[in-house]
Amino acid sequence: MRRVKRIGVVLASVALLVLGGAAGWFGSREIQDAETVTDTTTVTRTATVAASDPGLPAAVVKTRDALLAAAESRDYAALRALVPTTGFEYTFGSPVPGGAIAYWQDLERTTGQRPLDALAKVLRMPYTLSRGLYVWPFAYSVASIDDLTAHERELLAPLGPLESVFVEGTGYLGWRAGIRPDGTWVFFVAGD
């Protein structure tokens, strides 16, 4: 009887192995032809950041940004700190007692001109590189109104009628600002 039990156990073991192998074979056939699908979700976030103007040296960007901040806040004290003590052009006439700041304040009082508003406007426009200086606005290097594209005319619109800032045969004579590559502010002047 022991022998019969052993044969029964062996047969049962063989049957389990056969059944397990068959089940494994059928199971592998089920997944062999299965298609794997992966769903991927992509999220795009866009952030607008202020970047320095391409092509401008860091020192020029720093000066331009400081000038623009002072002009927009109408902070003459901050602007005074940016005016070089020598070699700065602010008028085509004789120097004014008190320098550039006194001259611009006098223009506001006596003529109604707003030099700081003009400075902010031109510094928000594209620049040009002229004789080694970065100059705002780009129109500084344009010889005639006729040379302006429709887009350039649109960019210059905040300065008023183009006929008021261009002189035929001379070019752009409106308010303009120049900065050396080392960041030195060298002029802010209008006229000829």
Side-chain angles (χ1 to χ4, degrees):
M1 190 119 181
R2 278 170 110 189
R3 190 172 180 178
V4 173
K5 270 188 177 180
R6 256 195 200 159
I7 292 177
V9 169
V10 169
L11 285 176
S13 296
V14 168
L16 281 175
L17 282 174
V18 168
L19 286 175
W25 183 81
F26 281 114
S28 71
R29 297 291 295 160
E30 282 292 312
I31 62 170
Q32 181 179 16
D33 294 333
E35 182 177 316
T36 302
V37 177
T38 303
D39 288 332
T40 303
T41 303
T42 302
V43 177
T44 302
R45 290 189 167 89
T46 303
T48 302
V49 295
S52 61
D53 292 311
L56 287 177
V60 174
V61 170
K62 182 178 177 184
T63 299
R64 178 198 167 265
D65 290 351
L67 290 170
L68 185 57
E72 287 178 333
S73 64
R74 301 196 49 76
D75 186 346
Y76 274 111
L79 206 56
R80 184 183 312 277
L82 298 167
V83 176
T85 55
T86 61
F88 184 75
E89 289 183 43
Y90 58 93
T91 178
F92 287 106
S94 300
V96 172
I101 301 298
Y103 175 70
W104 297 326
Q105 288 174 327
D106 187 55
L107 283 177
E108 285 190 14
R109 277 191 308 277
T110 61
T111 68
Q113 290 186 54
R114 298 185 53 101
L116 295 189
D117 292 347
L119 180 60
K121 287 176 186 176
V122 299
L123 289 175
R124 282 189 221 106
M125 294 182 180
Y127 66 90
T128 188
L129 184 59
S130 178
R131 295 185 305 262
L133 296 176
Y134 295 89
V135 182
W136 287 262
F138 66 93
Y140 178 78
S141 60
V142 176
S144 170
I145 292 175
D146 298 333
D147 295 335
L148 295 170
T149 66
H151 177 68
E152 290 169 333
R153 289 171 185 264
E154 190 176 311
L155 288 173
L156 293 169
L159 301 180
L162 292 178
E163 296 75 22
S164 69
V165 292
F166 275 91
V167 173
E168 198 55 45
T170 303
Y172 178 81
L173 295 180
W175 284 102
R176 53 214 185 260
I179 303 173
R180 283 192 189 116
D182 68 1
T184 303
W185 188 22
V186 292
F187 66 82
F188 177 58
V189 67
D192 185 17

